[in-house]
Amino acid sequence: MEGEEEARLVMHFSSAVAPVQVAVLPLLTRKELADPAKEIVAKLREKNLLVNYDDSGTIGRRYRRNDEIGTPYSVTVDYDTLQDGTVTIRDRDSMRQIRAPIDGIENVLYELIYRGRNFESAGKPFNF
């Protein structure tokens, strides 16, 4: 029915065993956002994290697609990234978001996935 929100399907894998642990999502399909996103993918893969790069469709659809396959964290590269070197990290289960620096992002996500780091301690709260 019109006006009703679509049900959110979420696969609740533990982050350590999720088939995709981190989705890296440029806000828009533009070279200036895709290039830093691909650099983040490379950093995460060097840490042996299971990463998916996705630039197809709207950001909301990409979040939903990754929720459905159980991806615990999504990293969004946006125009603020180009200004201040930070990205948005979104937690699948709470849908909360934080801003964190790109520098060291691979260590932050590794700690979130394997060391049980508290999500709020990984960056500054981000309200959209």
Side-chain angles (χ1 to χ4, degrees):
M1 296 187 116
E2 204 168 314
E4 285 188 26
E5 196 171 308
E6 185 178 324
R8 182 171 169 254
L9 301 174
V10 181
M11 183 70 67
H12 291 280
F13 286 113
S14 162
S15 58
V17 300
V20 176
Q21 295 168 315
V22 182
V24 178
L25 317 169
L27 185 63
L28 300 169
T29 308
R30 299 219 168 121
K31 183 173 175 32
E32 67 264 27
L33 298 177
D35 288 349
K38 289 176 181 174
E39 289 173 16
I40 292 169
V41 168
K43 287 173 136 185
L44 297 175
R45 286 188 175 146
E46 284 176 18
K47 274 297 238 198
N48 293 315
L49 298 177
L50 303 171
V51 184
N52 179 42
Y53 175 88
D54 186 355
D55 65 0
S56 172
T58 67
I59 194 71
R61 287 206 173 130
R62 287 184 259 161
Y63 283 147
R64 267 193 297 286
R65 216 173 12 246
N66 280 285
D67 288 348
E68 289 174 5
I69 64 169
T71 307
Y73 300 104
S74 295
V75 174
T76 304
V77 175
D78 57 25
Y79 285 101
D80 288 341
T81 304
L82 305 179
Q83 299 297 316
D84 63 12
T86 65
V87 292
T88 301
I89 303 174
R90 177 183 176 269
D91 176 68
R92 171 197 66 209
D93 295 335
S94 68
M95 296 193 318
R96 286 185 303 222
Q97 298 182 354
I98 55 173
R99 289 295 289 191
I102 291 175
D103 187 37
I105 194 78
E106 67 278 14
N107 297 321
V108 168
L109 286 158
Y110 185 91
E111 290 171 8
L112 286 167
I113 292 166
Y114 291 111
R115 302 270 192 255
R117 181 173 181 172
N118 178 281
F119 183 70
E120 283 73 25
S121 76
K124 295 179 181 168
F126 180 69
N127 300 318
F128 52 95

